[in-house]
Amino acid sequence: MYDNFFNKITTINYIIYARLSKEEQGKSKEDQSRSIKNQIIMCKNYIEEEKNIYVDCLFTEVAILKDDGISGTTFDREDFQKLVSLIEQKKANMVITKDLSRLGRDHIQTDDYIEKWFPEHNVRYVSIMENIDTYVDSVSNEIAPIINWSNENFARQTSKKIKKTFKNYREVGKWTGGEPPLGYKIDPQNKYHLVIEPKGKEVVERIFKLALENNSLDKIAKILTNDKVPIPSVIKKSKRKSLSEHWSSQSIKNILKNEIYTGNMVQGKTTRLNHKSKKIIYLPKQQWNIIQNTHEAIVDKQTFDSVQLIFKSNKNKTIKSYDYLLKGLIKCHECNHAIGIQHYKNRSKNYTICSFYRKYGNKMNVCTAHRFSYEEIEKLVLKSIKKNCLKFVDKNALIQKLNKRDYASNQVFKLKEKVEKGLKEIAKLNNQLDNIYEDKLNDIISIEQFKNFIKIKKNEIEYEESQLKRYNDELKKIIEASKENFDVNKIVDDFINFSKPNKLLIVKLIDKIFLNQNGTIDIYYKIKPPHY
Ligand SMILES: [Zn+2]
């Protein structure tokens, strides 16, 4: 069984609520108590049946509450208020009554509880007689007996219809959101399709690049703010103005985690309980609508995956603004909990600490501090990587590979192709020109036709030649630029000597590091070095 947030529930804490209805209040004391008793028995039987349906759930009775002699038109009943407070304290996640009128007679307020208050508090409400069960489907549940039939019903139906249409669109990868994410705009020719918005695209590319270089979210936000890069709402000329002009780490995170930048349409991440509730619910990833290749990508899949890998390893971070190379990778050998890194402002050193010890060590005498210089441990790990992995790297093979994958050389290749094609085209046009002269000489065409053909062909040749010049200029530029910036040898040397250790490489190489209480470490590699 699942709650409204689609988390699996294994414990159901239920409240049985009984109330005397108006007619019964006039009856004898005996009749009244029998009525209450009957209501409770019915509810209990219902729970017994539930236990057979949800066998892996543990059912616990939190309370049996009853209000007698108090009108159902007010919710100011003693036990009903108890019910409210138990739910607010998160002590119960299910409420059961015999029928709706037990809950209340004021249908607007009752409605409110069923459609809004209970769902928002993650409470399942069951009314046995009307067969109402808010768990079954919070939207489609027809609670006819208490619906305010006029506007309410209309709003509900419309909301359902719109929801359905949007759902259909999302399933085929049509954009149904409002404002597209930074870097995209709505295609002027098709409002369900996204196209690149160049200014935003540039910023998105830069953010991914900074993340790959292992800058923390905070740091990326700072860099962009310092460089006076406008925030997304400004770039997008959004109607909703942001108060701050500073980039926040949250908006950086949203961008870096958004798969939409790989060209896949990702929608349906959130939902609302129903048309009345404003509360947004985040759905688990299995329920999102992800359609591949619906629009042009801004980052390639490999870059995106690498950034997600860095995210994963940074999950157990202890101090936000400091980014440690080994953050999230070290575990306590003794108790298997994460090893945190403590930073002291007035000291230059950072220290490791077992997070389990830090939390419970004093109170419960668990584990030991595992307090060592973080810098020393980092040194040990880097040394081990160098020794165990990098010495097996074939430098020449690496250089060759890098050269092939080099973006610049790829561009050069493409341009050279274009130049060749252009030269062929010009030769062809010149040939045609010769033919036209011949035709003129043989009186096959008139002087008018001749003049016309010449004009057309000369224009075409002129165009091709100008293109050719453009390609050659570009080619020259790229070759010169790559001479300055791209020294494959140096990059490979840096890599092999690990002089610029980077988080991504470490995450790819190392699964986890165990820190022993005597200060030694055990490193578990994801890849095994070859044996000789
Ligand atoms: Zn420990």
Side-chain angles (χ1 to χ4, degrees):
M1 181 165 179
Y2 297 85
D3 69 9
N4 293 318
F5 296 87
F6 299 95
N7 299 311
K8 198 156 190 202
I9 295 180
T10 48
T11 49
I12 295 171
N13 302 318
Y14 62 91
I15 296 174
I16 292 176
Y17 181 73
R19 190 182 67 82
L20 280 185
S21 69
K22 236 182 189 170
E23 306 81 63
E24 286 155 342
Q25 279 164 23
K27 290 182 181 169
S28 69
K29 272 263 178 278
E30 257 168 66
D31 280 349
Q32 288 191 12
S33 81
R34 197 184 306 136
S35 162
I36 292 265
K37 243 185 225 159
N38 281 341
Q39 289 178 36
I40 294 168
I41 289 170
M42 263 184 96
C43 293
K44 283 196 165 174
N45 287 342
Y46 190 91
I47 292 288
E48 286 310 310
E49 283 168 30
E50 284 282 291
K51 285 181 188 168
N52 293 329
I53 301 171
Y54 303 107
V55 279
D56 52 348
C57 290
L58 179 71
F59 286 78
T60 311
E61 188 177 287
V62 178
I64 296 180
L65 301 174
K66 46 194 178 221
D67 282 311
D68 39 353
I70 301 166
S71 161
T73 51
T74 170
F75 279 86
D76 199 13
R77 296 169 238 139
E78 200 184 328
D79 266 24
F80 188 80
Q81 287 309 317
K82 259 188 218 161
L83 180 147
V84 167
S85 108
L86 280 171
I87 289 170
E88 278 171 348
Q89 292 167 44
K90 294 194 167 64
K91 289 196 172 134
N93 57 7
M94 179 172 176
V95 170
I96 177 165
T97 62
K98 178 187 150 247
D99 58 58
L100 270 173
S101 71
R102 306 298 139 184
L103 198 62
R105 279 202 176 275
D106 175 334
H107 69 249
I108 295 173
Q109 251 180 305
T110 310
D111 213 41
D112 233 36
Y113 271 105
I114 296 171
E115 296 211 321
K116 232 166 120 181
W117 198 82
F118 284 146
E120 283 188 4
H121 284 79
N122 255 333
V123 168
R124 173 184 176 197
Y125 171 69
V126 170
S127 170
I128 301 169
M129 296 307 283
E130 291 91 350
N131 213 1
I132 289 173
D133 184 344
T134 58
Y135 169 60
V136 175
D137 180 349
S138 61
V139 180
S140 73
N141 204 345
E142 288 306 324
I143 41 175
I146 57 137
I147 284 177
N148 178 345
W149 276 104
S150 55
N151 300 329
E152 260 322 306
N153 195 34
F154 180 72
R156 175 205 306 267
Q157 296 304 337
T158 317
S159 146
K160 259 204 258 177
K161 238 182 240 161
I162 293 172
K163 250 185 168 173
K164 182 94 205 311
T165 313
F166 276 174
K167 195 167 167 275
N168 290 343
Y169 282 168
R170 285 198 296 270
E171 276 162 7
V172 293
K174 285 184 176 175
W175 173 255
T176 61
E179 206 170 67
L182 184 70
Y184 289 109
K185 60 181 179 190
I186 287 170
D187 187 343
Q189 250 101 70
N190 174 0
K191 66 174 177 173
Y192 302 115
H193 182 240
L194 296 183
V195 290
I196 298 275
E197 188 284 302
K199 267 190 195 151
K201 180 191 175 201
E202 225 171 81
V203 177
V204 171
E205 282 172 334
R206 185 163 175 210
I207 290 171
F208 271 92
K209 191 167 168 274
L210 287 167
L212 268 190
E213 289 162 0
N214 198 31
N215 291 294
S216 67
L217 298 174
D218 280 343
K219 196 159 171 214
I220 298 174
K222 251 181 221 150
I223 291 171
L224 296 183
T225 305
N226 285 343
D227 284 1
K228 304 227 157 31
V229 175
I231 56 169
S233 61
V234 174
I235 298 177
K236 291 195 278 185
K237 299 189 184 97
S238 185
K239 280 178 204 127
R240 259 188 300 162
K241 286 273 174 288
S242 173
L243 291 174
S244 163
E245 281 166 21
H246 294 272
W247 281 81
S248 71
S249 51
Q250 187 59 45
S251 54
I252 304 284
K253 188 175 173 186
N254 291 345
I255 288 169
L256 290 172
K257 295 206 91 165
N258 199 345
E259 202 183 319
I260 208 159
Y261 292 121
T262 64
N264 296 344
M265 189 57 85
V266 185
Q267 294 184 97
K269 291 189 202 172
T270 60
T271 187
R272 289 196 180 148
L273 289 177
N274 53 46
H275 68 282
K276 279 189 170 182
S277 174
K278 293 244 182 312
K279 190 164 173 172
I280 287 174
I281 292 160
Y282 292 89
L283 296 172
K285 201 175 173 187
Q286 306 91 270
Q287 297 189 15
W288 298 358
N289 296 109
I290 304 177
I291 311 294
Q292 313 264 330
N293 305 322
T294 55
H295 53 271
E296 195 181 328
I298 292 182
V299 295
D300 58 84
K301 179 101 178 57
Q302 204 187 352
T303 304
F304 185 80
D305 288 345
S306 298
V307 169
Q308 307 315 309
L309 209 58
I310 293 175
F311 262 123
K312 233 178 164 179
S313 75
N314 282 348
K315 229 178 178 176
N316 304 321
K317 52 173 129 181
T318 43
I319 301 156
K320 231 182 160 185
S321 44
Y322 290 90
D323 229 0
Y324 302 101
L325 220 44
L326 305 180
K327 193 163 62 184
L329 288 173
I330 318 176
K331 283 188 144 199
C332 175
H333 174 257
E334 272 65 38
C335 73
N336 209 25
H337 286 80
I339 293 282
I341 301 158
Q342 288 182 320
H343 172 84
Y344 297 96
K345 263 191 187 152
N346 43 4
R347 277 179 251 178
S348 58
K349 265 190 178 175
N350 301 303
Y351 292 92
T352 55
I353 185 157
C354 167
S355 59
F356 192 44
Y357 171 83
R358 190 181 53 194
K359 219 168 168 188
Y360 301 109
N362 286 335
K363 274 179 267 168
M364 290 155 70
N365 203 17
V366 294
C367 211
T368 55
H370 292 72
R371 194 178 145 85
F372 302 101
S373 153
Y374 165 77
E375 281 74 16
E376 288 301 315
I377 289 170
E378 193 180 281
K379 247 188 244 165
L380 279 175
V381 172
L382 295 185
K383 217 166 125 188
S384 165
I385 292 178
K386 239 162 114 171
K387 193 174 142 222
N388 290 314
C389 296
L390 297 181
K391 71 170 177 195
F392 298 107
V393 172
D394 180 344
K395 189 176 167 179
N396 288 327
L398 203 61
I399 289 173
Q400 250 178 11
K401 228 176 173 178
L402 271 173
N403 269 329
K404 239 187 227 165
R405 283 188 45 188
D406 171 19
Y407 171 76
S409 62
N410 193 14
Q411 288 283 92
V412 168
F413 179 76
K414 274 188 190 158
L415 280 170
K416 277 185 177 166
E417 253 185 358
K418 281 185 186 168
V419 169
E420 232 161 82
K421 230 172 140 191
L423 285 170
K424 266 186 202 158
E425 189 62 34
I426 290 170
K428 200 171 103 192
L429 288 168
N430 276 322
N431 209 3
Q432 285 169 352
L433 209 54
D434 287 345
N435 286 341
I436 294 167
Y437 282 116
E438 247 170 69
D439 287 348
K440 176 71 192 70
L441 288 178
N442 297 331
D443 275 341
I444 294 172
I445 50 173
S446 70
I447 184 85
E448 277 309 307
Q449 283 172 317
F450 173 74
K451 274 184 182 163
N452 223 349
F453 281 145
I454 294 291
K455 202 176 149 200
I456 291 168
K457 289 296 151 198
K458 281 200 165 157
N459 272 341
E460 280 180 15
I461 291 170
E462 212 172 280
Y463 172 77
E464 286 297 333
E465 277 172 346
S466 74
Q467 285 289 87
L468 208 58
K469 189 181 174 301
R470 211 168 57 96
Y471 297 146
N472 275 322
D473 286 351
E474 239 174 273
L475 209 52
K476 239 187 258 166
K477 245 192 250 163
I478 289 171
I479 289 168
E480 256 158 46
S482 71
K483 261 186 211 152
E484 284 166 25
N485 304 329
F486 206 81
D487 186 346
V488 175
N489 266 302
K490 185 166 179 329
I491 290 173
V492 172
D493 271 340
D494 278 350
F495 176 73
I496 289 176
N497 295 321
F498 220 41
S499 49
K500 281 186 200 156
N502 85 49
K503 178 103 192 195
L504 182 62
L505 182 61
I506 289 177
V507 172
K508 280 186 172 167
L509 291 174
I510 293 181
D511 183 24
K512 57 194 162 208
I513 300 159
F514 279 109
L515 177 58
N516 300 304
Q517 56 184 353
N518 61 13
T520 58
I521 53 169
D522 299 313
I523 302 173
Y524 288 80
Y525 284 94
K526 281 183 181 165
I527 49 165
K528 291 207 165 50
H531 291 289
Y532 283 85

